Amino acid sequence: MTVSHTNPLRVGLRQERVIAPQCLVIFGASGDLTHRKLIPALFELFRQRRLPSEFAILGCARRPWSDEEFRRRMAEALADEIEQHQSAWAQFEGCLFYEPVDLEQPADVVRLGTRLEVIDRQRATRGNRTFYLSVSPAFYGSGCRSLAAAGLLKDPTRSRVVIEKPFGRDYGSAQQLNRVVQAAGQENQVFRIDHYLGKETVQNILVLRFANTIFEPIWNRNFIANVQITAAETVGVEERAGYYEDSGALRDMVQNHLTQMLALTTMEAPGRFDPEAIRNEKAKVLQAARLANEEEPWKCCVRAQYGRGGSAVNPVVGYREEPGVNPQSTTETYVAMKLFIDNWRWQGVPFYLRTGKRLPKRTSEVVLTFREAPVHLFDAAGGSPTANQLILRIQPDEGAEFLFEVKAPGSGMRSRPVDMQFSYDESFGEPSDEGYVRLLADAMLGDPTLFTRGDEVEAAWRLYTPLLELIEDNPALLPIHTYEAGTWGPGAADNLLADDGLMWRRP
Ligand code: BG6
């Protein structure tokens, strides 16, 4: 992709960092993620000329495919893309190889080692390997163990492991998984993906906060009254009931994506822009976070499930009627909660998190509401003045918005709110890379800044442990509400804020 030099804001947008020669090994190569996300992201990197010429992708799964079969299947999945870039594909597919491997079978992993040596010779990949575990989470631990046992992780400068979420399903299992993974290799070899960190606007939270002087002095309890973090989706559970039934919104979205947005919004400035400095600050703030009511956690959390909805023309089934879902399921597709962060910066500021499927609009945002002016000198056009708000729009419509009061035109002195907008699209024109493009490149570069470290993951699980235990041991205390598909969630979630005299922002 070329960078236009007509728009000065776009000049130098792609600062190139060079990916070393290497072989990317994808376990789970016959699965969904490989052809939906990974191969398209790699093809994009190839077209951007970001991949080295000494490069190979080795797909691995149990199916007895050949290299040709793997290439053919990937080509089928990317048919539309390839149609526009036929000659690029013709070159790219030469990097694709396949080896049938069952990670549980030591002999298979030894054979994999031999194949990698052959590829090193054929493609000059110099023994550098990134192992991507796109397999069921149940195999993360044993997968890392098998790779270590075959000696494939022994050089920390040449081998890395990338793991998809979920990392564990609660605090205990996350600790256990970290122990196994860290015994197989060093922490700096492990790249835990949270695809929200691949989003340009999530990374922009750091730049907005720490590259400007106007925000930091007011980014604290003295000026900020409350913070809302929302990740709303219009889709339902889709074809993923098998996974989702056992996960629910708390594990699927809150423990990872919403918590990452929370951490970036609230962390202290790192001493320098370096992966460990940033991840130290994120881990630190998460360790200071807690549910608003730890003694009675059911009072600060609402769980719900979507019921039927949609229109007469386009009806939508309720969660319990979705294929593969237990008709008596109590898995939440919506969750809202209130947290506090007990540190000097945030003491007393409520943080409200919510996420849900089948909501009216796909939107993710962080909303910081500032304290009201201490004295109201002017009448407000709408009755009462609107507090200043800074809205970080993560998606879609990536950008930021600032709401403030101005004088309403006319002879009186009434105030009314207006907003100031920044849009990535308008300012930069060029669409941002898909999250996986950025994250795969960073993993292959060995840059862990945008990956979650073991202690961060544990701190995040620990934060939600009282809720997870309650759901397990005393579900009646945290009953599952119902909301009509296509609405903004249950009334109980509105009450969570109404009790504090607040309302959810309507995106
Ligand atoms: C995934 C969840 O991690 O994130 C999905 O497993 C969810 O359930 C998805 O739909 C949302 O991601 P995005 O990028 O569309 O906001």
Side-chain angles (χ1 to χ4, degrees), residues 37 164-166 194-196 199 231-233 235-238 240 243-244 247-249 251-253 256-257 355-357 362-364 394-395 434 436:
K37 297 282 185 192
E164 276 285 334
K165 75 152 230 279
D194 182 312
H195 82 275
Y196 261 60
K199 294 184 194 283
E233 299 185 89
V235 292
V237 67
E238 300 178 291
R240 302 163 70 219
Y243 151 78
Y244 199 84
S247 161
R251 290 187 169 93
D252 185 48
M253 293 290 288
N256 34 68
H257 309 325
T355 183
K357 292 197 183 285
R362 176 175 185 250
T363 182
S364 296
I394 306 297
Q395 66 185 22
E434 219 269 327
Y436 274 96

mmCIF file of all heavy atoms in Angstrom, residues 37 164-166 194-196 199 231-233 235-238 240 243-244 247-249 251-253 256-257 355-357 362-364 394-395 434 436, ligand 1:
data_model
loop_
_atom_site.group_PDB
_atom_site.id
_atom_site.type_symbol
_atom_site.label_atom_id
_atom_site.label_comp_id
_atom_site.label_asym_id
_atom_site.label_seq_id
_atom_site.Cartn_x
_atom_site.Cartn_y
_atom_site.Cartn_z
ATOM 1 N N LYS A 37 -8.515 -14.599 9.905
ATOM 2 C CA LYS A 37 -7.735 -13.465 10.406
ATOM 3 C C LYS A 37 -6.236 -13.551 10.101
ATOM 4 O O LYS A 37 -5.636 -12.578 9.684
ATOM 5 C CB LYS A 37 -7.892 -13.358 11.936
ATOM 6 C CG LYS A 37 -9.304 -13.090 12.398
ATOM 7 C CD LYS A 37 -9.649 -11.642 12.208
ATOM 8 C CE LYS A 37 -11.012 -11.302 12.764
ATOM 9 N NZ LYS A 37 -11.482 -9.991 12.354
ATOM 10 N N GLU A 164 -3.582 -17.023 22.040
ATOM 11 C CA GLU A 164 -4.830 -16.262 21.940
ATOM 12 C C GLU A 164 -5.516 -16.252 23.303
ATOM 13 O O GLU A 164 -5.277 -17.127 24.127
ATOM 14 C CB GLU A 164 -5.777 -16.979 20.965
ATOM 15 C CG GLU A 164 -5.535 -16.646 19.524
ATOM 16 C CD GLU A 164 -6.038 -15.255 19.164
ATOM 17 O OE1 GLU A 164 -6.964 -14.747 19.820
ATOM 18 O OE2 GLU A 164 -5.469 -14.687 18.221
ATOM 19 N N LYS A 165 -6.425 -15.313 23.532
ATOM 20 C CA LYS A 165 -7.225 -15.394 24.737
ATOM 21 C C LYS A 165 -8.220 -16.546 24.611
ATOM 22 O O LYS A 165 -8.485 -16.948 23.481
ATOM 23 C CB LYS A 165 -7.940 -14.074 24.985
ATOM 24 C CG LYS A 165 -9.148 -13.833 24.041
ATOM 25 C CD LYS A 165 -10.157 -12.963 24.693
ATOM 26 C CE LYS A 165 -11.528 -13.501 24.630
ATOM 27 N NZ LYS A 165 -12.295 -13.319 23.444
ATOM 28 N N PRO A 166 -8.811 -17.133 25.613
ATOM 29 C CA PRO A 166 -8.668 -16.779 27.027
ATOM 30 C C PRO A 166 -7.454 -17.447 27.674
ATOM 31 O O PRO A 166 -7.149 -18.602 27.375
ATOM 32 C CB PRO A 166 -9.951 -17.328 27.640
ATOM 33 C CG PRO A 166 -10.312 -18.501 26.778
ATOM 34 C CD PRO A 166 -9.820 -18.173 25.401
ATOM 35 N N ASP A 194 -4.363 -9.818 22.979
ATOM 36 C CA ASP A 194 -5.700 -9.266 23.229
ATOM 37 C C ASP A 194 -5.933 -8.372 22.027
ATOM 38 O O ASP A 194 -5.283 -7.326 21.898
ATOM 39 C CB ASP A 194 -5.717 -8.447 24.526
ATOM 40 C CG ASP A 194 -7.106 -7.910 24.814
ATOM 41 O OD1 ASP A 194 -7.721 -7.345 23.887
ATOM 42 O OD2 ASP A 194 -7.581 -8.056 25.946
ATOM 43 N N HIS A 195 -6.832 -8.760 21.141
ATOM 44 C CA HIS A 195 -6.862 -8.057 19.849
ATOM 45 C C HIS A 195 -7.283 -6.590 19.997
ATOM 46 O O HIS A 195 -7.058 -5.787 19.108
ATOM 47 C CB HIS A 195 -7.700 -8.818 18.810
ATOM 48 C CG HIS A 195 -9.171 -8.582 18.916
ATOM 49 N ND1 HIS A 195 -9.973 -9.284 19.765
ATOM 50 C CD2 HIS A 195 -9.985 -7.713 18.286
ATOM 51 C CE1 HIS A 195 -11.218 -8.865 19.645
ATOM 52 N NE2 HIS A 195 -11.258 -7.902 18.752
ATOM 53 N N TYR A 196 -7.861 -6.212 21.147
ATOM 54 C CA TYR A 196 -8.188 -4.792 21.345
ATOM 55 C C TYR A 196 -6.923 -3.939 21.372
ATOM 56 O O TYR A 196 -6.940 -2.788 20.969
ATOM 57 C CB TYR A 196 -9.015 -4.595 22.625
ATOM 58 C CG TYR A 196 -10.486 -4.472 22.302
ATOM 59 C CD1 TYR A 196 -11.155 -5.505 21.657
ATOM 60 C CD2 TYR A 196 -11.202 -3.310 22.600
ATOM 61 C CE1 TYR A 196 -12.485 -5.389 21.312
ATOM 62 C CE2 TYR A 196 -12.536 -3.191 22.259
ATOM 63 C CZ TYR A 196 -13.172 -4.227 21.616
ATOM 64 O OH TYR A 196 -14.489 -4.111 21.260
ATOM 65 N N LYS A 199 -5.889 -2.381 18.151
ATOM 66 C CA LYS A 199 -6.688 -1.301 17.542
ATOM 67 C C LYS A 199 -5.958 0.027 17.715
ATOM 68 O O LYS A 199 -5.533 0.381 18.811
ATOM 69 C CB LYS A 199 -8.072 -1.230 18.201
ATOM 70 C CG LYS A 199 -8.933 -2.465 17.930
ATOM 71 C CD LYS A 199 -10.317 -2.302 18.529
ATOM 72 C CE LYS A 199 -11.071 -3.613 18.568
ATOM 73 N NZ LYS A 199 -11.620 -4.044 17.292
ATOM 74 N N ALA A 231 -18.449 -1.555 25.449
ATOM 75 C CA ALA A 231 -18.184 -2.282 24.199
ATOM 76 C C ALA A 231 -19.510 -2.946 23.813
ATOM 77 O O ALA A 231 -19.908 -3.935 24.436
ATOM 78 C CB ALA A 231 -17.089 -3.316 24.370
ATOM 79 N N ALA A 232 -20.189 -2.344 22.868
ATOM 80 C CA ALA A 232 -21.506 -2.835 22.470
ATOM 81 C C ALA A 232 -21.415 -3.508 21.114
ATOM 82 O O ALA A 232 -20.727 -3.003 20.219
ATOM 83 C CB ALA A 232 -22.486 -1.672 22.412
ATOM 84 N N GLU A 233 -22.110 -4.622 20.982
ATOM 85 C CA GLU A 233 -22.118 -5.334 19.697
ATOM 86 C C GLU A 233 -23.551 -5.531 19.237
ATOM 87 O O GLU A 233 -24.449 -5.691 20.074
ATOM 88 C CB GLU A 233 -21.487 -6.718 19.865
ATOM 89 C CG GLU A 233 -20.056 -6.691 20.303
ATOM 90 C CD GLU A 233 -19.497 -8.099 20.305
ATOM 91 O OE1 GLU A 233 -18.985 -8.516 19.262
ATOM 92 O OE2 GLU A 233 -19.603 -8.784 21.340
ATOM 93 N N VAL A 235 -24.168 -8.025 16.959
ATOM 94 C CA VAL A 235 -24.271 -9.456 16.645
ATOM 95 C C VAL A 235 -24.693 -10.244 17.881
ATOM 96 O O VAL A 235 -24.518 -9.794 19.012
ATOM 97 C CB VAL A 235 -22.927 -10.035 16.130
ATOM 98 C CG1 VAL A 235 -22.573 -9.461 14.776
ATOM 99 C CG2 VAL A 235 -21.808 -9.821 17.135
ATOM 100 N N GLY A 236 -25.224 -11.421 17.636
ATOM 101 C CA GLY A 236 -25.547 -12.330 18.735
ATOM 102 C C GLY A 236 -24.379 -13.274 18.949
ATOM 103 O O GLY A 236 -23.231 -12.944 18.613
ATOM 104 N N VAL A 237 -24.693 -14.484 19.409
ATOM 105 C CA VAL A 237 -23.610 -15.415 19.731
ATOM 106 C C VAL A 237 -23.034 -16.071 18.466
ATOM 107 O O VAL A 237 -21.988 -16.703 18.494
ATOM 108 C CB VAL A 237 -24.096 -16.454 20.759
ATOM 109 C CG1 VAL A 237 -25.152 -17.355 20.132
ATOM 110 C CG2 VAL A 237 -22.949 -17.270 21.319
ATOM 111 N N GLU A 238 -23.704 -15.860 17.342
ATOM 112 C CA GLU A 238 -23.282 -16.417 16.049
ATOM 113 C C GLU A 238 -23.116 -17.933 16.139
ATOM 114 O O GLU A 238 -23.932 -18.604 16.752
ATOM 115 C CB GLU A 238 -22.017 -15.691 15.567
ATOM 116 C CG GLU A 238 -22.262 -14.194 15.392
ATOM 117 C CD GLU A 238 -21.040 -13.414 14.968
ATOM 118 O OE1 GLU A 238 -20.119 -13.292 15.799
ATOM 119 O OE2 GLU A 238 -21.016 -12.922 13.833
ATOM 120 N N ARG A 240 -20.921 -19.599 17.772
ATOM 121 C CA ARG A 240 -19.912 -19.923 18.774
ATOM 122 C C ARG A 240 -20.497 -20.384 20.100
ATOM 123 O O ARG A 240 -19.868 -20.230 21.151
ATOM 124 C CB ARG A 240 -19.041 -18.706 19.006
ATOM 125 C CG ARG A 240 -18.366 -18.228 17.732
ATOM 126 C CD ARG A 240 -17.868 -16.834 17.899
ATOM 127 N NE ARG A 240 -16.748 -16.765 18.814
ATOM 128 C CZ ARG A 240 -16.576 -15.780 19.693
ATOM 129 N NH1 ARG A 240 -17.465 -14.835 19.806
ATOM 130 N NH2 ARG A 240 -15.517 -15.766 20.467
ATOM 131 N N TYR A 243 -18.334 -22.439 22.617
ATOM 132 C CA TYR A 243 -17.370 -21.693 23.428
ATOM 133 C C TYR A 243 -18.097 -20.747 24.382
ATOM 134 O O TYR A 243 -17.801 -20.676 25.576
ATOM 135 C CB TYR A 243 -16.443 -20.914 22.488
ATOM 136 C CG TYR A 243 -15.890 -19.634 23.076
ATOM 137 C CD1 TYR A 243 -14.836 -19.666 23.991
ATOM 138 C CD2 TYR A 243 -16.436 -18.386 22.733
ATOM 139 C CE1 TYR A 243 -14.342 -18.484 24.546
ATOM 140 C CE2 TYR A 243 -15.949 -17.217 23.280
ATOM 141 C CZ TYR A 243 -14.907 -17.267 24.183
ATOM 142 O OH TYR A 243 -14.424 -16.103 24.733
ATOM 143 N N TYR A 244 -19.081 -20.028 23.860
ATOM 144 C CA TYR A 244 -19.664 -18.915 24.609
ATOM 145 C C TYR A 244 -20.465 -19.367 25.822
ATOM 146 O O TYR A 244 -20.450 -18.713 26.864
ATOM 147 C CB TYR A 244 -20.546 -18.087 23.667
ATOM 148 C CG TYR A 244 -20.817 -16.703 24.199
ATOM 149 C CD1 TYR A 244 -19.899 -15.676 24.002
ATOM 150 C CD2 TYR A 244 -21.963 -16.412 24.926
ATOM 151 C CE1 TYR A 244 -20.125 -14.400 24.489
ATOM 152 C CE2 TYR A 244 -22.195 -15.144 25.421
ATOM 153 C CZ TYR A 244 -21.277 -14.141 25.193
ATOM 154 O OH TYR A 244 -21.499 -12.873 25.692
ATOM 155 N N SER A 247 -18.360 -19.453 28.585
ATOM 156 C CA SER A 247 -17.570 -18.249 28.816
ATOM 157 C C SER A 247 -18.459 -17.125 29.336
ATOM 158 O O SER A 247 -18.345 -16.696 30.486
ATOM 159 C CB SER A 247 -16.891 -17.886 27.488
ATOM 160 O OG SER A 247 -16.485 -16.573 27.485
ATOM 161 N N GLY A 248 -19.386 -16.658 28.500
ATOM 162 C CA GLY A 248 -20.225 -15.530 28.891
ATOM 163 C C GLY A 248 -19.451 -14.229 28.747
ATOM 164 O O GLY A 248 -18.229 -14.222 28.593
ATOM 165 N N ALA A 249 -20.207 -13.130 28.821
ATOM 166 C CA ALA A 249 -19.611 -11.817 28.531
ATOM 167 C C ALA A 249 -18.507 -11.430 29.509
ATOM 168 O O ALA A 249 -17.550 -10.758 29.136
ATOM 169 C CB ALA A 249 -20.715 -10.759 28.541
ATOM 170 N N ARG A 251 -16.207 -13.277 30.968
ATOM 171 C CA ARG A 251 -14.915 -13.859 30.565
ATOM 172 C C ARG A 251 -14.541 -13.468 29.140
ATOM 173 O O ARG A 251 -13.369 -13.302 28.829
ATOM 174 C CB ARG A 251 -14.974 -15.387 30.645
ATOM 175 C CG ARG A 251 -15.036 -15.930 32.050
ATOM 176 C CD ARG A 251 -14.915 -17.450 32.048
ATOM 177 N NE ARG A 251 -14.724 -17.957 33.381
ATOM 178 C CZ ARG A 251 -15.704 -18.355 34.190
ATOM 179 N NH1 ARG A 251 -16.956 -18.302 33.783
ATOM 180 N NH2 ARG A 251 -15.441 -18.799 35.404
ATOM 181 N N ASP A 252 -15.557 -13.353 28.275
ATOM 182 C CA ASP A 252 -15.289 -13.150 26.850
ATOM 183 C C ASP A 252 -14.825 -11.721 26.548
ATOM 184 O O ASP A 252 -14.001 -11.514 25.668
ATOM 185 C CB ASP A 252 -16.578 -13.449 26.059
ATOM 186 C CG ASP A 252 -16.387 -13.392 24.559
ATOM 187 O OD1 ASP A 252 -15.415 -14.001 24.073
ATOM 188 O OD2 ASP A 252 -17.191 -12.735 23.865
ATOM 189 N N MET A 253 -15.364 -10.747 27.260
ATOM 190 C CA MET A 253 -15.082 -9.345 26.910
ATOM 191 C C MET A 253 -14.525 -8.524 28.068
ATOM 192 O O MET A 253 -13.654 -7.684 27.868
ATOM 193 C CB MET A 253 -16.385 -8.660 26.438
ATOM 194 C CG MET A 253 -16.951 -9.155 25.148
ATOM 195 S SD MET A 253 -15.974 -8.716 23.694
ATOM 196 C CE MET A 253 -16.265 -6.959 23.528
ATOM 197 N N ASN A 256 -10.778 -9.181 29.592
ATOM 198 C CA ASN A 256 -9.678 -8.853 28.686
ATOM 199 C C ASN A 256 -9.866 -7.470 28.043
ATOM 200 O O ASN A 256 -9.223 -6.513 28.452
ATOM 201 C CB ASN A 256 -9.534 -9.955 27.638
ATOM 202 C CG ASN A 256 -10.912 -10.525 27.283
ATOM 203 O OD1 ASN A 256 -11.729 -9.845 26.693
ATOM 204 N ND2 ASN A 256 -11.181 -11.756 27.673
ATOM 205 N N HIS A 257 -10.767 -7.367 27.064
ATOM 206 C CA HIS A 257 -10.840 -6.142 26.269
ATOM 207 C C HIS A 257 -11.210 -4.903 27.104
ATOM 208 O O HIS A 257 -10.556 -3.868 27.015
ATOM 209 C CB HIS A 257 -11.843 -6.297 25.126
ATOM 210 C CG HIS A 257 -11.627 -7.538 24.291
ATOM 211 N ND1 HIS A 257 -10.377 -8.041 24.030
ATOM 212 C CD2 HIS A 257 -12.502 -8.371 23.669
ATOM 213 C CE1 HIS A 257 -10.498 -9.125 23.265
ATOM 214 N NE2 HIS A 257 -11.779 -9.343 23.046
ATOM 215 N N THR A 355 -20.834 -4.273 28.611
ATOM 216 C CA THR A 355 -20.674 -4.868 27.287
ATOM 217 C C THR A 355 -21.862 -5.775 27.031
ATOM 218 O O THR A 355 -22.438 -6.324 27.984
ATOM 219 C CB THR A 355 -19.370 -5.676 27.180
ATOM 220 O OG1 THR A 355 -19.230 -6.167 25.837
ATOM 221 C CG2 THR A 355 -19.327 -6.875 28.119
ATOM 222 N N GLY A 356 -22.220 -5.919 25.779
ATOM 223 C CA GLY A 356 -23.335 -6.813 25.497
ATOM 224 C C GLY A 356 -23.420 -7.145 24.035
ATOM 225 O O GLY A 356 -22.922 -6.406 23.175
ATOM 226 N N LYS A 357 -24.059 -8.272 23.776
ATOM 227 C CA LYS A 357 -24.362 -8.651 22.396
ATOM 228 C C LYS A 357 -25.810 -8.278 22.117
ATOM 229 O O LYS A 357 -26.609 -8.162 23.039
ATOM 230 C CB LYS A 357 -24.151 -10.151 22.208
ATOM 231 C CG LYS A 357 -22.662 -10.534 22.307
ATOM 232 C CD LYS A 357 -22.378 -11.894 21.728
ATOM 233 C CE LYS A 357 -20.929 -12.305 21.885
ATOM 234 N NZ LYS A 357 -20.020 -11.614 20.948
ATOM 235 N N ARG A 362 -23.130 -1.080 17.150
ATOM 236 C CA ARG A 362 -21.780 -1.574 17.431
ATOM 237 C C ARG A 362 -20.917 -0.365 17.777
ATOM 238 O O ARG A 362 -20.677 0.505 16.938
ATOM 239 C CB ARG A 362 -21.203 -2.282 16.207
ATOM 240 C CG ARG A 362 -19.763 -2.710 16.430
ATOM 241 C CD ARG A 362 -19.211 -3.512 15.264
ATOM 242 N NE ARG A 362 -17.888 -4.007 15.569
ATOM 243 C CZ ARG A 362 -16.772 -3.568 14.990
ATOM 244 N NH1 ARG A 362 -16.822 -2.627 14.069
ATOM 245 N NH2 ARG A 362 -15.607 -4.081 15.342
ATOM 246 N N THR A 363 -20.471 -0.330 18.999
ATOM 247 C CA THR A 363 -19.645 0.801 19.396
ATOM 248 C C THR A 363 -18.809 0.452 20.621
ATOM 249 O O THR A 363 -19.277 -0.241 21.521
ATOM 250 C CB THR A 363 -20.532 2.039 19.673
ATOM 251 O OG1 THR A 363 -19.702 3.120 20.013
ATOM 252 C CG2 THR A 363 -21.490 1.823 20.813
ATOM 253 N N SER A 364 -17.563 0.905 20.620
ATOM 254 C CA SER A 364 -16.730 0.785 21.812
ATOM 255 C C SER A 364 -16.203 2.163 22.114
ATOM 256 O O SER A 364 -15.718 2.850 21.211
ATOM 257 C CB SER A 364 -15.543 -0.140 21.578
ATOM 258 O OG SER A 364 -15.993 -1.439 21.329
ATOM 259 N N ILE A 394 -13.450 4.257 20.229
ATOM 260 C CA ILE A 394 -12.543 3.169 19.828
ATOM 261 C C ILE A 394 -12.968 2.606 18.473
ATOM 262 O O ILE A 394 -12.144 2.341 17.621
ATOM 263 C CB ILE A 394 -12.543 2.051 20.901
ATOM 264 C CG1 ILE A 394 -12.221 2.623 22.300
ATOM 265 C CG2 ILE A 394 -11.612 0.903 20.532
ATOM 266 C CD1 ILE A 394 -10.869 3.246 22.441
ATOM 267 N N GLN A 395 -14.271 2.423 18.291
ATOM 268 C CA GLN A 395 -14.800 1.918 17.022
ATOM 269 C C GLN A 395 -16.311 2.041 16.997
ATOM 270 O O GLN A 395 -16.904 2.060 18.085
ATOM 271 C CB GLN A 395 -14.403 0.452 16.813
ATOM 272 C CG GLN A 395 -15.040 -0.467 17.825
ATOM 273 C CD GLN A 395 -14.582 -1.896 17.738
ATOM 274 O OE1 GLN A 395 -13.534 -2.202 17.216
ATOM 275 N NE2 GLN A 395 -15.383 -2.799 18.263
ATOM 276 N N GLU A 434 -5.924 -3.640 10.258
ATOM 277 C CA GLU A 434 -6.713 -4.510 11.119
ATOM 278 C C GLU A 434 -5.823 -4.905 12.304
ATOM 279 O O GLU A 434 -4.602 -5.019 12.153
ATOM 280 C CB GLU A 434 -7.103 -5.739 10.287
ATOM 281 C CG GLU A 434 -8.490 -6.246 10.522
ATOM 282 C CD GLU A 434 -8.525 -7.289 11.618
ATOM 283 O OE1 GLU A 434 -7.556 -8.048 11.757
ATOM 284 O OE2 GLU A 434 -9.520 -7.321 12.349
ATOM 285 N N TYR A 436 -5.024 -7.563 13.817
ATOM 286 C CA TYR A 436 -4.119 -8.708 13.690
ATOM 287 C C TYR A 436 -2.881 -8.367 12.860
ATOM 288 O O TYR A 436 -1.835 -8.979 13.029
ATOM 289 C CB TYR A 436 -4.847 -9.913 13.079
ATOM 290 C CG TYR A 436 -5.551 -10.721 14.136
ATOM 291 C CD1 TYR A 436 -6.892 -10.539 14.407
ATOM 292 C CD2 TYR A 436 -4.849 -11.657 14.902
ATOM 293 C CE1 TYR A 436 -7.530 -11.259 15.398
ATOM 294 C CE2 TYR A 436 -5.473 -12.382 15.891
ATOM 295 C CZ TYR A 436 -6.817 -12.182 16.141
ATOM 296 O OH TYR A 436 -7.432 -12.888 17.126
HETATM 297 C C1 BG6 B 1 -13.784 -11.350 20.835
HETATM 298 C C2 BG6 B 1 -14.943 -12.018 21.501
HETATM 299 O O1 BG6 B 1 -12.650 -11.423 21.640
HETATM 300 O O2 BG6 B 1 -14.107 -9.987 20.590
HETATM 301 C C3 BG6 B 1 -16.182 -11.897 20.646
HETATM 302 O O3 BG6 B 1 -14.641 -13.384 21.712
HETATM 303 C C4 BG6 B 1 -16.454 -10.467 20.285
HETATM 304 O O4 BG6 B 1 -17.308 -12.462 21.314
HETATM 305 C C5 BG6 B 1 -15.207 -9.796 19.728
HETATM 306 O O5 BG6 B 1 -17.489 -10.445 19.317
HETATM 307 C C6 BG6 B 1 -15.415 -8.309 19.563
HETATM 308 O O6 BG6 B 1 -14.330 -7.760 18.895
HETATM 309 P P1 BG6 B 1 -14.479 -6.449 18.038
HETATM 310 O O7 BG6 B 1 -13.103 -6.174 17.555
HETATM 311 O O8 BG6 B 1 -15.475 -6.746 16.959
HETATM 312 O O9 BG6 B 1 -14.988 -5.391 18.982
#
